[in-house]
């Protein structure tokens, strides 16, 4: 109760924690049944202090108990030595706590954000800056499965989905030898994909096509990065052709909806993304 706290009498010497200081200190009071902790936080008018958690360790077993008896026979000397070693005890305790939590650090679903790149390096992953934490955790968690299917259609599609963030009909990977079983040739016997002619089906061995929307490959640098990524993961004897699809529909040349023909997003943009005179039009008030 607040009234009971006010009757406790003298408190221990206050400890002031300034910004940037380690929030750790030794409670220098005699042993008792209860511990009362009073915290006073002050803001500067711009930043408000926040207490996210408090860890209490007690009874504290310091290194002084491990020293020979002459070091702690005298009460005054023991008290001084105990306080002198308390900082090192804190570092030692943090190291033990980190060692106890090493299992969580190695778990891609539980490891802190700052360990994701380090954990990804175990599998030679190089995460792009724009990838979110969920994608990075998924890549680490599925690394063993990915390397088991590396170089296959499933493995390349998995990599493309991670890299582009797409999850649907696109990205699409087509092995060209399979096109010979598909009646999609024009009158001249040419197979068209996204407005581009592909090699004849009888020349399609060890060739494959990757179809992506232009939103996934916005510029030449993004295309070069994606081609280098695929070249490093595909079988060495295969030939890759990357086709970028614009939102359009050309019968006879670009007509496979969801593969090489893409419809533009017709949903109206949000207020924060719209432009006055283009997406937003004001109407006169009568």
């Amino acid at each position: 109760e607040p009234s009971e706290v006010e009757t406790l009498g003298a408190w221990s010497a206050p400890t002031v924690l300034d910004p940037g200081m380690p929030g750790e200190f030794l409670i220098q009071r005699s042993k008792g049944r209860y511990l009362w902790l009073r915290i006073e936080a002050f803001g500067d008018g711009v930043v408000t202090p926040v207490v996210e958690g408090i860890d209490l360790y007690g009874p504290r077993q310091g290194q002084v108990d491990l020293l020979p008896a002459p070091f702690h026979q005298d009460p005054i000397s023991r008290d001084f030595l105990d306080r002198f070693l308390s900082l090192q005890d804190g570092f030692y305790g943090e190291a033990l706590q980190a060692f106890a939590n090493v299992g969580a650090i190695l778990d891609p679903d539980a490891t802190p954000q700052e360990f994701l790149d380090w954990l990804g390096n175990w599998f030679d992953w190089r995460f792009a800056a724009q990838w979110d934490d969920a994608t990075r955790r998924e890549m680490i968690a599925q690394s063993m499965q990915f390397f088991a299917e590396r170089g296959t259609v499933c493995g390349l599609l998995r990599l493309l989905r991670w890299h582009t963030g797409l999850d649907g009909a696109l990205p699409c990977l087509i092995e060209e030898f399979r096109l010979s079983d598909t009646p999609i040739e024009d009158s001249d016997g040419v197979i068209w994909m996204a407005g581009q002619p592909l090699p004849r089906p009888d020349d399609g061995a060890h060739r494959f096509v990757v179809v992506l929307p232009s939103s996934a490959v916005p510029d030449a640098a993004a295309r070069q990065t994606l081609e280098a990524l695929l070249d490093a993961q595909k079988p060495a004897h295969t030939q890759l052709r990357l086709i970028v699809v614009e939102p359009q529909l050309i019968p006879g040349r670009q007509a496979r909806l969801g593969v090489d023909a893409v419809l533009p997003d017709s949903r109206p943009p949000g207020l924060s993304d719209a432009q006055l005179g283009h997406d937003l039009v004001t109407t006169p008030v009568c």
Side-chain angles (χ1 to χ4, degrees):
E1 296 293 337
S3 58
E4 184 179 357
V5 175
E6 297 299 330
T7 62
L8 291 177
W11 292 76
S12 62
T15 300
V16 180
L17 300 178
D18 295 325
M21 293 180 56
E24 182 177 327
F25 58 91
L26 175 66
I27 300 177
Q28 302 181 30
R29 296 288 291 179
S30 58
K31 296 181 179 180
R33 183 177 180 183
Y34 300 105
L35 171 65
W36 298 88
L37 185 64
R38 180 169 61 187
I39 300 176
E40 296 182 2
F42 302 93
D44 57 5
V46 178
V47 180
T48 300
V50 176
V51 179
E52 296 182 349
I54 300 175
D55 296 325
L56 300 175
Y57 299 95
R60 192 179 70 84
Q61 297 180 358
Q63 298 182 66
V64 67
D65 294 324
L66 304 178
L67 296 176
F71 287 92
H72 50 79
Q73 284 181 339
D74 181 68
I76 298 178
S77 298
R78 175 187 174 86
D79 179 68
F80 169 77
L81 189 58
D82 189 29
R83 289 184 285 109
F84 181 78
L85 296 175
S86 62
L87 181 60
Q88 185 175 349
D89 291 339
F91 294 150
Y92 182 67
E94 293 175 0
L96 291 180
Q97 186 68 25
F99 182 77
N101 296 333
V102 69
I105 294 177
L106 299 179
D107 185 345
D109 294 326
T111 188
Q113 189 273 340
E114 59 267 21
F115 283 102
L116 284 176
D117 289 346
W118 170 79
L119 197 57
N121 286 335
W122 286 35
F123 302 97
D124 199 28
W125 289 128
R126 299 294 184 268
F127 298 131
Q130 66 270 20
W131 293 354
D132 56 17
D133 288 351
T135 300
R136 303 182 187 202
R137 295 181 190 275
E138 181 182 352
M139 290 180 66
I140 297 173
Q142 298 183 11
S143 291
M144 299 305 296
Q145 182 178 356
F146 168 77
F147 285 111
E149 60 186 18
R150 182 181 181 184
T152 65
V153 174
C154 293
L156 290 174
L157 283 176
R158 186 190 299 269
L159 186 66
L160 285 169
R161 293 190 181 102
W162 283 336
H163 185 79
T164 62
L166 300 174
D167 187 13
L170 296 178
C172 178
L173 191 151
I174 303 174
E175 297 173 286
E176 293 183 12
F177 79 91
R178 298 183 183 276
L179 296 177
S180 58
D181 299 329
T182 307
I184 56 177
E185 300 180 7
D186 63 6
S187 57
D188 298 327
V190 178
I191 295 176
W192 292 86
M193 181 67 65
Q196 302 183 28
L198 296 182
R200 297 281 300 176
D202 54 357
D203 297 330
H206 313 304
R207 300 172 183 265
F208 67 96
V209 178
V210 173
V211 184
L212 287 171
S214 57
S215 58
V217 192
D219 50 38
R223 183 186 182 104
Q224 183 178 6
T225 299
L226 184 60
E227 288 179 340
L229 180 68
L230 290 172
D231 188 64
Q233 299 294 331
K234 71 178 182 65
H237 67 282
T238 59
Q239 298 182 23
L240 161 69
R241 178 184 293 223
L242 179 62
I243 296 180
V244 179
V245 181
E246 298 291 342
Q248 56 186 342
L249 184 65
I250 305 176
R253 290 292 183 270
Q254 188 167 338
R256 301 165 194 86
L257 189 60
V259 178
D260 63 346
V262 182
L263 298 179
D265 189 354
S266 60
R267 294 173 298 178
L271 291 177
S272 59
D273 301 324
Q275 298 180 3
L276 186 61
H278 178 68
D279 304 300
L280 297 179
V281 178
T282 59
T283 57
V285 179
C286 298

